[in-house]
């Protein structure tokens, strides 16, 4: 039996759900029960009846499911897979800020550790940030950790006063305006769809900004008018969709837009986790999980 067939048999025997982020390699996405952006993964994996969840993604994604569904056994398939942005801000600094500025809402991107979620009021993802920030009663907002996503939200929601600190995704932040202009010169008829983790000077050249799921909808549902699309996010999206839309998709910066942490997961490491030879079961202290749950539940409440 091939590896994929063994994985599917084990998932069925264990009553387990295999969840994969859209940046995972195509063979991992094909092996999964659900594939989605970080919002969809948090919501759907926590809501499922499955007692066990194997997360093919990075640590904060597995932690998010464990926080929302503490009775499930949640296994991070690759224990070393961690989003560097998730720990760029010290939770003690946020706690200090809160004490000094009680009028501020602290909004944490979901790409954060449980410790950072625990000192925040609400989490957002790139697909829900605009809606959630608009719905908050507070005018003053500290947005952590991604300064680029925070800047994008600030431009789209000018009625709020948004403070950002120095945090960024090392993969998306490497995109430059020159990269986008060069891709447009090569494909003048193509639209540009970009993740808002990219820097503002690149983002302002895009036709559309959105989460990985929004970019996929844009390609699929013809927001792009069926035209060619320059895709400015981690290459997992194009690697999976290219065969379905031959000649329509152009990966921006093929060499730079690769997240090494997302690419750690392989079919072999998924199999090893399912056979209890690898992976890491997520365990969080009750007090930490309870504090972090509040901000994730607020995300689901405001984000719909
Ligand atoms: P999404 O919320 O679009 O899935 O993005 C997650 C992420 O890590 C982007 O780099
Ligand atoms: Fe983190 Fe960036 Fe990788 Fe997303 S692409 S998981 S934000 S390092």
């Amino acid at each position: 039996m091939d590896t994929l067939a063994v994985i599917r048999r084990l998932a069925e025997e264990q009553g387990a759900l295999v969840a994969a982020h859209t940046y995972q390699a195509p063979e991992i996405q094909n092996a999964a029960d659900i594939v989605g952006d970080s919002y969809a993964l948090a919501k759907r994996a926590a809501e499922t009846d499955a007692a066990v969840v194997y997360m093919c993604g990075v640590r904060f994604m597995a932690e998010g499911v464990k926080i929302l569904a503490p009775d499930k056994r949640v296994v991070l398939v690759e224990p070393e897979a961690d989003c560097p942005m998730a720990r760029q801000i010290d939770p003690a600094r946020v706690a200090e800020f809160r004490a000094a500025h009680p009028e501020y809402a602290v909004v944490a991107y979901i790409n954060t550790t449980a410790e950072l979620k625990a000192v925040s009021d609400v989490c957002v993802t790139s697909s829900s940030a605009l809606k959630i920030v608009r719905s908050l009663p507070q005018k003053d907002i500290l947005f952590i950790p991604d300064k680029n996503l925070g800047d994008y939200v600030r431009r789209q929601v000018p009625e709020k006063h948004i403070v950002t600190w120095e945090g960024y995704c090392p993969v998306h932040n490497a995109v430059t305006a020159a990269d986008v202009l060069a891709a447009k010169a090569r494909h003048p008829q193509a639209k540009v769809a970009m993740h808002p983790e990219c820097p503002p000077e690149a983002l302002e050249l895009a036709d559309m900004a959105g989460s990985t799921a929004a970019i996929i909808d844009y390609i699929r549902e013809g927001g792009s008018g069926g035209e060619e699309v320059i895709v400015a996010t981690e290459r997992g999206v194009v690697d999976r969709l290219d065969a379905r839309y031959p000649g329509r998709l152009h990966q921006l910066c093929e060499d730079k837009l690769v997240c090494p942490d997302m690419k750690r997961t392989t079919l072999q490491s998924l199999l090893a986790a399912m056979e209890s030879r690898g992976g890491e079961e997520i365990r969080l202290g009750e007090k930490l999980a309870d504090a972090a749950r509040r901000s994730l539940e607020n995300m689901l409440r405001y984000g719909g």
Side-chain angles (χ1 to χ4, degrees):
M1 213 187 274
D2 67 11
T3 309
L4 178 58
V6 179
I7 286 170
R8 294 310 320 160
R9 180 175 56 75
L10 287 171
E12 201 168 314
E13 281 171 14
Q14 296 177 13
L17 181 94
V18 178
H21 188 263
T22 46
Y23 294 165
Q24 293 287 297
E27 63 272 22
I28 303 294
Q29 297 191 40
N30 288 338
D33 296 289
I34 60 169
V35 177
D37 66 359
S38 31
Y39 186 82
L41 289 181
K43 194 166 155 52
R44 291 179 61 199
E47 279 171 0
T48 169
D49 289 338
V52 184
V53 174
Y54 291 102
M55 180 57 73
C56 304
V58 290
R59 180 166 294 270
F60 77 80
M61 295 176 175
E63 281 186 356
V65 177
K66 183 69 185 174
I67 291 166
L68 284 168
D71 295 337
K72 290 192 193 305
R73 179 168 180 263
V74 181
V75 177
L76 175 61
V77 167
E78 268 295 341
E80 298 291 310
D82 200 5
C83 170
M85 177 161 58
R87 48 187 83 252
Q88 281 170 344
I89 306 265
D90 179 358
R93 189 176 163 210
V94 179
E96 243 170 66
F97 181 94
R98 292 185 70 101
H101 304 282
E103 71 281 15
Y104 273 69
V106 178
V107 175
Y109 194 20
I110 198 168
N111 298 41
T112 39
T113 58
E115 288 78 3
L116 270 172
K117 289 183 174 79
V119 291
S120 301
D121 293 297
V122 60
C123 287
V124 298
T125 64
S126 46
S127 60
S128 60
L130 297 180
K131 185 175 179 196
I132 292 175
V133 167
R134 283 192 184 110
S135 315
L136 290 173
Q138 293 91 337
K139 181 176 166 59
D140 296 318
I141 287 163
L142 172 65
F143 190 101
I144 53 163
D146 189 354
K147 63 175 179 172
N148 292 337
L149 181 61
D151 182 79
Y152 169 70
V153 176
R154 187 188 291 121
R155 284 164 199 247
Q156 300 295 317
V157 192
E159 64 274 24
K160 300 283 183 180
H161 170 241
I162 299 178
V163 173
T164 50
W165 287 345
E166 184 63 26
Y168 58 89
C169 160
V171 178
H172 289 85
N173 195 54
V175 171
T176 65
D179 292 330
V180 183
L181 292 173
K184 278 175 162 256
R186 277 196 302 279
H187 309 288
Q189 66 291 8
K191 298 265 175 68
V192 179
M194 190 173 288
H195 200 285
E197 287 177 7
C198 294
E201 59 279 14
L203 203 58
E204 71 184 22
L205 298 170
D207 296 287
M208 174 272 175
S211 74
T212 52
I215 291 173
I216 292 168
D217 287 348
Y218 183 74
I219 294 165
R220 271 193 191 139
E221 288 170 11
S224 53
E227 288 179 44
E228 292 174 43
V229 181
I230 296 166
V231 181
T233 192
E234 210 276 350
R235 59 175 298 161
V237 172
V238 169
D239 286 346
R240 176 120 192 269
L241 294 185
D242 204 25
R244 207 174 310 160
Y245 303 101
R248 263 192 66 203
L249 306 183
H250 308 290
Q251 175 67 53
L252 184 80
C253 308
E254 320 198 61
D255 300 333
K256 278 201 270 191
L257 279 168
V258 180
C259 174
D261 284 281
M262 284 286 184
K263 298 302 193 235
R264 285 178 190 272
T265 315
T266 62
L267 281 182
Q268 288 311 322
S269 58
L270 175 55
L271 180 63
M274 297 181 91
E275 290 178 337
S276 303
R277 295 181 285 110
E280 178 187 324
E281 180 171 353
I282 300 294
R283 295 178 201 276
L284 294 168
E286 204 177 313
K287 208 164 145 225
L288 174 62
D290 288 348
R293 187 171 309 116
R294 206 175 33 90
S295 56
L296 277 174
E297 284 179 347
N298 280 340
M299 172 185 85
L300 298 177
R301 189 156 59 88
Y302 286 114

